[in-house]
Structures are given as structure tokens and as C-alpha cells.
Amino acid sequence: MELIECTKVHIQDALNSPILPQNVKNDLKDSGETFLSVYSKKSKSLRFFPIKDENIYWLKIAIDSFNPEISGKILAKLSSLISQFVYSTGVCVSKSECFWDGIILESAFKNSKENLIKTLEEIPNVINVTLKPVAKE
């Protein structure tokens, strides 16, 4: 299940949009060349984050049940492997189907991407870990 949709947006593409008010376009223009757009399916919200790194990754962790202990283990492991997130969210769609998504700049990885996946997969209740690059639409 996908909780979010994300893509890289170059500012020129956003500035040509008739949907955005002119004052928003002016503000975005002063914030950099590339943005990450994140659409949250649950809240029906669209957000833009200025990014300094062209290489962005989407980390998805599937969990078979969610509780404070598992959450703490995941967050502790993540803080030792990643210096910061651009965006993160989590949701349980049922008692046995939970997901955590995070968007990470390549420069935030403290170790290899392979080590990140392996370390997170070792946490109890973690079913699957995927890491994929975020592409430009």
C-alpha cells in the first residue's frame, strides 16, 4: 500500500502552473531550483520541500503490528543510520498492516544503503524494507 506519492519538481515546472497563486510562485522561486513534492493520500494534502540534493530516496518499512516498543526500535536504528529526513509518516490500515515512509537525501546516509535495509530488516515485526530513488515526473 502506498501512503504517499512523491516526485522531484524543478521550480520552472511549478512556476508555469496556472494552479499556484502568483505570491506562492514568487516565494517558491526564492527557495531553490529543486523541490520534493509529497502527496499524502490519507489527508489529501500536497506539500513542497526545497531540497539541496538531486539524489533522494524513499524508504518504506512494512510492519506486521505496531506498538511503542517497535516504534522506538525503528527510530533508534534510523537515528544511527540517517542524519535527517525530509519527510516521514506512518499509518496502520489494520491491526496487522502498518507502514512507515521516509524521504531521505543521499547526503543524510551515515552508512551504505544496503546496510540500512539489512539493519532495519533485523528488527522484530518488520516484514519488508524497500528503498528506491525518487524520480522527476
Side-chain angles (χ1 to χ4, degrees):
M1 163 177 259
E2 300 293 346
L3 303 175
I4 60 174
E5 293 292 331
C6 56
T7 188
K8 287 189 283 189
V9 177
H10 289 284
I11 190 62
Q12 285 308 100
D13 298 334
L15 294 178
N16 295 330
S17 171
I19 296 171
L20 297 176
Q22 189 59 46
N23 61 341
V24 172
K25 291 179 187 182
N26 292 341
D27 192 46
L28 290 176
K29 185 171 42 176
D30 295 334
S31 298
E33 291 296 317
T34 307
F35 287 78
L36 171 71
S37 71
V38 177
Y39 174 69
S40 171
K41 291 181 178 183
K42 187 174 181 176
S43 66
K44 305 281 190 237
S45 62
L46 178 63
R47 299 180 70 185
F48 291 92
F49 300 91
I51 54 171
K52 60 180 185 238
D53 196 332
E54 280 290 321
N55 297 317
I56 310 166
Y57 290 86
W58 182 351
L59 174 64
K60 181 179 214 49
I61 304 170
I63 309 159
D64 70 4
S65 64
F66 198 73
N67 61 50
E69 181 181 341
I70 297 300
S71 174
K73 287 181 181 180
I74 290 171
L75 293 175
K77 293 288 184 184
L78 286 171
S79 68
S80 71
L81 299 166
I82 297 168
S83 61
Q84 74 179 67
F85 290 92
V86 176
Y87 178 85
S88 67
T89 189
V91 71
C92 290
V93 291
S94 70
K95 276 189 164 186
S96 61
E97 193 175 14
C98 299
F99 301 93
W100 184 90
D101 287 283
I103 307 299
I104 310 159
L105 298 178
E106 185 166 52
S107 58
F109 288 99
K110 295 179 182 178
N111 293 297
S112 72
K113 295 170 196 71
E114 296 77 21
N115 184 48
L116 169 81
I117 293 169
K118 181 178 179 264
T119 301
L120 293 171
E121 287 177 334
E122 293 171 352
I123 298 172
N125 294 21
V126 170
I127 300 169
N128 188 37
V129 178
T130 58
L131 183 68
K132 64 182 182 180
V134 174
K136 181 182 183 286
E137 273 295 312

